[in-house]
Amino acid sequence: MWTEALHITENLDNMGSRKDIESLLTNFSESNRLLSAMKFAFHVRRLVYGFLLLGCVYIMLQIVRMQRGIFDDVDRASRLKQINMMLHSSPAQTWRKLSAGGQACRHPHLEVHSPEIMKFIKSAPPVHCWDTADWVRVNGSTAFITDEARARHGDIQCAFTDILRVNDHSTHDGVTTQTHTEYNLEESDFVRVHCKASKGETWSNIMPGIRHDQDVLDRTGWDKVPHDGLRLDVLMFGFDSLSRNMFIRHLPRTYHYLRETLQMIDLRGYNIVGDGTPQALIPILTGKTELELPETRKRMGDKASYVNIYPFVWKDFQENGYVTGYLEDCPHVGTFTYRLKGFDSPPTDHYARTYYIASTQEYSRFRKYCMGSIPRHKVVMNYVHDFFKVYREKPKFMFSFHTELSHDSHNLIGAVDLDMLEWLQTMNEEGHLNNTMLVIMSDHGPRFADIRNTQQGKQEERLPMFGLVFPPWFQRAYPDAMVNIRRNSQRLTTPFDINPTLKNVLHYEGSGKGSVKDRAISLFKQIPLERTCADAYIEPHWCACLDWQEINLQDRMVVKAAETFVDFINKLTESNRDICADLHLERIQWAARLVPNEGLMRFHKNADIDGFVADLSAHTVVTQEVYQLKVSTMPGGGLFEVSMKYDVTDGSFAVKISDVSRINRYGSAAHCVEHSQHHLRPYCFCKAPPPQPPKE
């Protein structure tokens, strides 16, 4: 049958269709046998063609990959040039003109509990691990068998095996030490622990701490810190994918403690400069974009360098007497190891990746999000705490970044709130924050499709959490710098600004005014009001600043907004109508609409795997606009500036008292409420004239 099938297959092209052939074959005495052979031949031919097609596809893919590698350098340079051209063509001068001496970049005021977002928000319960505590705990550089474990299990012997780094992707075991008491970390921060009790029970885990490193202790010290430095420790604690609003929603206790007790200043105009974690952290840590730095992408093979080549700011701290540390808790999506080539040698004195390479292989042994009896997010906090305990008397720089709970779901991070609060309280009560510039931050807001498809979701993605805490003595010693930081909290700031701020800790350059010509401005200096996204090197589709659109004063929506505002003022004084006049709109002097820029609304996703190019094919529905008006009222000639939200879905305007400014003097016109209701003075025109002084 195989021979006949081949013969038939060779002659298929000279025959008719399959249907015709089958019809013909039925007239022959051996038609059934031949038909079976025929069908078999068709299957053989289909398989052959299928394999040929797959081979062609594979070859084409290899050619594309080769071409991509050949042209990647050109694309990289041309993309940088394209960005520069785009920024220089941005309407910066138009923005400055329309701002009329005010702030050029006006970020949207996004309601924390906006219905557009709250439908995606769910609460998360705390992470619950084993009820029985770990047999071993780590305190700084010492791992010890607990008294509780001995009381429960009797005599315990533990084997502590050092875990040593091979590279960014593998580890090997070092020396094993047997003990019935404790083990001092000296060769590694990380140990594999296996314990056995006299009754036969066993317990094992992988545990991190901060080793006692005499070389680091000898190299560091406050006497080695530059004389023009601010003499501050630096602790940066980051979360993946949390906007400022998401931080407030999911970590309310933590946020309240940061604001009320630690007096955190959060940057409400902190705007991302690119997509994803590398584009957020690289400018902070190096002062440059990935495109401006040497090639480090894995897929570029031998043409790529390890990221050690970057001018990381922690190198500056290390060279100036500081102990340095760096921690990220998700090695499979590491900032510098997912797309990039990673580090060929440890980048800092204490580098936690080794622990996570080893420990992630053990996760399946424990409850979800746990490492033994400890939630994995607390492992991050404990490592930072140990770092500060071991080097209490030394200058320190620590960059830690928690990814696991917030990277894939913005809701899970709520489980951290109470633990984060307790960690901050402990750090504060033990005095670790007395000399520390604490930075609580995120790389960007949520990037998930459901939220990202909404107007506010896109805006929040571009406005991540970024807060700074300074010790009280620093606030007293550098009042001008603190005034600037508070002022800058309402202005356009970016990751580029954080790099010179960190460098100023080593070499303070004063608290003057920054230049709009500089892409990066230290937060200790005043950010100019006229700064725009183009000035700050933010491409239009990443810019959360609202676009200014000047509107005809006779526009129906402008008139409606002005009338709504006057009604709002009249309601403020309604209960005092016997003494305060009912105001009327006299004239609209100026009006502008502030809307999300077109690039932001059209952004859909990345068009390339590196996040350098944007796919602008989305058509996000505008649900909210902001109107700014300057109006005068009668009687009294009051002159007001007001910002009002316009809800596109229901056609309504909303105004808050905090968004209203009286910009001309009201003098004695408000005499009737001057003493009794001081807060109404800008809005009340007294019906009775002011009392005249007695004639002499």
Side-chain angles (χ1 to χ4, degrees), residues 116 186 237 279 343 349 423 444 477 525 541 561 604 619:
E116 187 176 28
E186 292 186 2
F237 197 99
Q279 314 313 331
F343 299 92
D349 296 316
W423 174 74
H444 48 74
K525 296 182 180 294
H541 56 277
H604 176 55
H619 299 282

Side-chain angles (χ1 to χ4, degrees), residues 76 83 182 224 238 393 518 604 631 679:
R76 184 183 176 91
I83 290 172
E182 63 185 33
K224 299 175 176 63
E393 304 303 324
D518 294 332
H604 176 55
V631 301
H679 64 287

Side-chain angles (χ1 to χ4, degrees), residues 6-167:
L6 288 178
H7 176 73
I8 293 170
T9 302
E10 289 172 358
N11 292 280
L12 282 176
D13 292 335
N14 298 320
M15 301 174 70
S17 68
R18 176 173 174 168
K19 187 174 182 180
D20 292 335
I21 295 168
E22 290 181 0
S23 176
L24 179 65
L25 288 174
T26 55
N27 296 321
F28 294 96
S29 60
E30 296 182 340
S31 60
N32 290 336
R33 183 175 61 84
L34 289 174
L35 183 58
S36 297
M38 186 88 172
K39 290 178 179 178
F40 180 70
F42 272 106
H43 288 306
V44 170
R45 191 179 194 189
R46 184 179 297 170
L47 284 172
V48 171
Y49 284 173
F51 282 122
L52 286 173
L53 180 61
L54 286 173
C56 291
V57 169
Y58 176 78
I59 292 169
M60 290 296 293
L61 286 172
Q62 295 305 311
I63 292 172
V64 169
R65 287 184 63 188
M66 289 175 62
Q67 288 178 333
R68 185 168 191 170
I70 293 169
F71 292 111
D72 246 349
D73 286 336
V74 177
D75 290 341
R76 184 183 176 91
S78 64
R79 180 60 187 152
L80 189 57
K81 184 177 179 181
Q82 184 184 23
I83 290 172
N84 283 317
M85 289 177 61
M86 189 185 308
L87 293 169
H88 284 108
S89 65
S90 295
Q93 296 304 322
T94 303
W95 285 14
R96 293 191 185 109
K97 177 184 175 184
L98 288 177
S99 65
Q103 188 164 314
C105 171
R106 291 289 303 273
H107 280 105
H109 177 77
L110 303 175
E111 296 290 345
V112 172
H113 301 295
S114 163
E116 187 176 28
I117 298 297
M118 291 307 293
K119 61 186 177 183
F120 302 114
I121 304 302
K122 298 177 182 178
S123 60
V127 176
H128 181 68
C129 300
W130 289 340
D131 293 326
T132 56
D134 291 345
W135 292 16
V136 173
R137 291 181 189 158
V138 177
N139 184 3
S141 59
T142 303
F144 61 94
I145 303 169
T146 68
D147 292 337
E148 296 91 335
R150 286 197 188 92
R152 181 185 291 267
H153 303 287
D155 184 48
I156 297 173
Q157 178 173 308
C158 294
F160 292 87
T161 304
D162 294 329
I163 300 174
L164 304 173
R165 180 183 188 272
V166 174
N167 53 42

Side-chain angles (χ1 to χ4, degrees), residues 373-388:
S373 64
I374 300 175
R376 290 201 287 263
H377 60 265
K378 288 191 71 173
V379 173
V380 177
M381 298 172 191
N382 291 343
Y383 187 76
V384 174
H385 186 201
D386 285 336
F387 180 81
F388 269 71

Side-chain angles (χ1 to χ4, degrees), residues 612-684:
F612 298 155
V613 183
D615 172 357
L616 302 178
S617 62
H619 299 282
T620 309
V621 177
V622 175
T623 56
Q624 191 176 92
E625 299 174 345
V626 176
Y627 281 71
Q628 268 204 332
L629 287 78
K630 182 188 292 184
V631 301
S632 58
T633 58
M634 288 296 289
L639 191 60
F640 298 90
E641 280 187 354
V642 58
S643 294
M644 307 174 65
K645 281 189 178 180
Y646 175 63
D647 190 324
V648 176
T649 57
D650 63 12
S652 65
F653 282 95
V655 59
K656 296 191 302 182
I657 193 70
S658 57
D659 294 329
V660 178
S661 297
R662 172 79 182 247
I663 59 175
N664 67 335
R665 295 173 183 262
Y666 42 85
S668 60
H671 67 91
C672 58
V673 293
E674 186 171 7
H675 301 295
S676 59
Q677 301 191 68
H678 185 273
H679 64 287
L680 292 179
R681 289 192 303 165
Y683 319 109
C684 176

Side-chain angles (χ1 to χ4, degrees), residues 230-286:
L230 295 174
R231 303 185 70 79
L232 286 168
D233 294 326
V234 176
L235 170 54
M236 305 184 73
F237 197 99
F239 291 96
D240 200 303
S241 305
L242 279 189
S243 67
R244 176 178 172 273
N245 275 7
M246 279 294 182
F247 192 101
I248 297 170
R249 289 181 193 115
H250 288 302
L251 304 172
R253 298 181 187 90
T254 300
Y255 184 76
H256 183 267
Y257 183 78
L258 285 164
R259 289 281 295 178
E260 300 304 320
T261 302
L262 299 183
Q263 299 180 359
M264 178 182 72
I265 302 167
D266 46 334
L267 306 181
R268 303 186 180 204
Y270 183 74
N271 202 121
I272 65 174
V273 295
D275 191 54
T277 305
Q279 314 313 331
L281 299 189
I282 289 174
I284 290 175
L285 297 173
T286 73

